[in-house]
Amino acid sequence: MSDGSALEIISAYQDAWTAKDFATAGRYLAPDVVFQSSGQQHLTTSGDVLTMLAAFAERIEPRWEKVAAVEDARGVLVLYKLFTGTGAPALCADYFAVEENKIQSESLVFDPEPFLVGRK
């Protein structure tokens, strides 16, 4: 696990969960991490976050692409792309609060449209 900057921690976390390595991803999460999204999700434990990510990871390719990132004293704002099973890019913006090398909270805003194309 990284003892580096918040951005290095977030990058390692993103690499892990998108590769479906949830054991490694979990090492970056505080036990009482708070996750909220524009999709009306609100989770309050690392176990719940990892369960949600495991289900979601089945819908994406095992990679992510950073577009931009800004780090401040408390955390990191990352704009990135995930890719659906068909390869369509989905744009996401995520703010991660990091303390003591652990993700304390994650606030996600994303465009669900690429995941809805072709669904009825």
Side-chain angles (χ1 to χ4, degrees):
M1 183 159 102
S2 174
D3 284 335
S5 72
L7 180 55
E8 290 170 332
I9 290 166
I10 298 311
S11 293
Y13 168 73
Q14 292 284 101
D15 288 345
W17 82 258
T18 58
K20 300 181 184 180
D21 181 355
F22 302 107
T24 298
R27 292 187 207 129
Y28 294 99
L29 298 173
D32 58 349
V33 64
V34 174
F35 173 90
Q36 54 190 11
S37 77
S38 58
Q40 304 302 314
Q41 287 182 305
H42 184 85
L43 307 171
T44 58
T45 69
S46 59
D48 288 346
V49 170
L50 292 170
T51 297
M52 176 273 299
L53 288 175
F56 183 70
E58 294 302 317
R59 300 178 63 197
I60 63 169
E61 292 181 2
R63 67 186 178 104
W64 69 292
E65 182 180 303
K66 181 175 70 174
V67 175
V70 177
E71 187 171 358
D72 65 17
R74 184 145 192 274
V76 178
L77 176 63
V78 183
L79 180 64
Y80 60 97
K81 294 177 188 175
L82 294 176
F83 299 87
T84 68
T86 64
L91 198 56
C92 305
D94 230 329
Y95 183 78
F96 297 90
V98 178
E99 289 179 24
E100 299 178 8
N101 295 317
K102 296 282 187 178
I103 298 168
Q104 303 296 320
S105 67
E106 178 180 356
S107 299
L108 170 66
V109 178
F110 66 97
D111 176 12
E113 185 66 27
F115 296 99
L116 301 174
V117 173
R119 293 180 82 190
K120 292 183 182 189

